[in-house]
Amino acid sequence: YVNKDSVYSINYLGTLINRLQKNRNIEALIVDDSSMGRKRVVNKLKRTMLTIHEAATAEDALIMLKEQDGIELVMIDYNLPGMNGFELCKMLRDMPNHKELIIIGFSGVGDERLASRFLKSGANDYIPKSCSQEELLCRVMQNLNMQDYIRTYRDASNQDFLTGLHNRRFLMASIPRVQANAKRHKQDYAVAMLDIDHFKQINDSLGHEAGDMVLKSLASELKLRLRESDILARTGGEEFCIVAENCNREQAAILFDDLRSKIEKNIMVSHNDTSIRITVSIGACCDSVLDFDAMMLMADNNLYKAKRNGRNRIKI
Ligand code: GH3
Ligand code: MG
Ligand code: MG
Ligand code: MG
């Protein structure tokens, strides 16, 4: 007897999961000492395009997770030789680099306490091995969906909506790592505050929309010119902060003056046949041990001096 609704539903769920995959290839890991057990799960997932890895022990699973850092979903059998499913689950949950891992416990033993024990160990979900393909797909789907929502909102909370650059919140959250690196390697890092000169005039003469276009264009220009490891954030209306690691005062002076001069030369935006050009003023400072608030304050004071000295210049 084939239930047509259920076949339809399974195909549909498979399609949904594949659609979720569109922008990234989702990798899953099945941890079960029985090869039959692994095969059964793999078969149930076959209408999805998940890339599936297999491990027979907790120890193998840990190695695989280290080697394949793209794995987002782990299904863990309770009964494993050596470290059991709960222990593996707990261990993964406590690892800072696996905070977002989706863990689904599963077991063939019909003990109803297994579900709560898995959940208490940090699993996102639990499935008995006897569950239908439809239930498995539903749960995988829901967990992936939830992860997607979390990512979307987390990324949004770190992003400046207008320019897509990082925001102040992201910047501040990144600073402890930057400072630790600077102290450990005894290397200076640079903090720069960049502010558009007479930006109000652009808004006043050409409109707020043109002003927004300038901000976006400046953001891409800055991103293009900076290193991948530099932190670039829009911290205020027309104010940007750059943090460059492993950068001394001389290097910073060259870097920021280069930025300033490139911005001066480029046309930012063409708006209703008007070519909009801008200049920026930059205040910066470099150190390896000063706390970040003090660095920001110094950079800000230098920005103020750059403005007072005539704008379109850097002060470090
Ligand atoms: P200065 O050279 O002294 O920095 O002069 P300024 O005109 O750039 O500085 P001021 O601080 O007086 O004005 C900043 C302007 O930036 C005021 C505000 O209208 C504009 N602004 C702030 N945020 C935005 C935004 O998101 N979009 C647009 N279009 N304008 C913004
Ligand atoms: Mg200003
Ligand atoms: Mg300004
Ligand atoms: Mg300003």
Side-chain angles (χ1 to χ4, degrees), residues 107-132:
S107 172
V109 192
D111 183 337
E112 58 213 13
R113 278 169 310 175
L114 290 180
S116 55
R117 287 185 68 189
F118 258 117
L119 295 174
K120 282 193 286 185
S121 302
N124 302 75
D125 210 345
Y126 171 81
I127 309 177
K129 278 188 185 172
S130 58
C131 82
S132 67

Side-chain angles (χ1 to χ4, degrees), residues 94-106:
D94 288 341
M95 291 181 173
N97 51 333
H98 291 315
K99 282 275 175 279
E100 294 186 11
L101 200 62
I102 300 166
I103 303 175
I104 301 180
F106 71 107

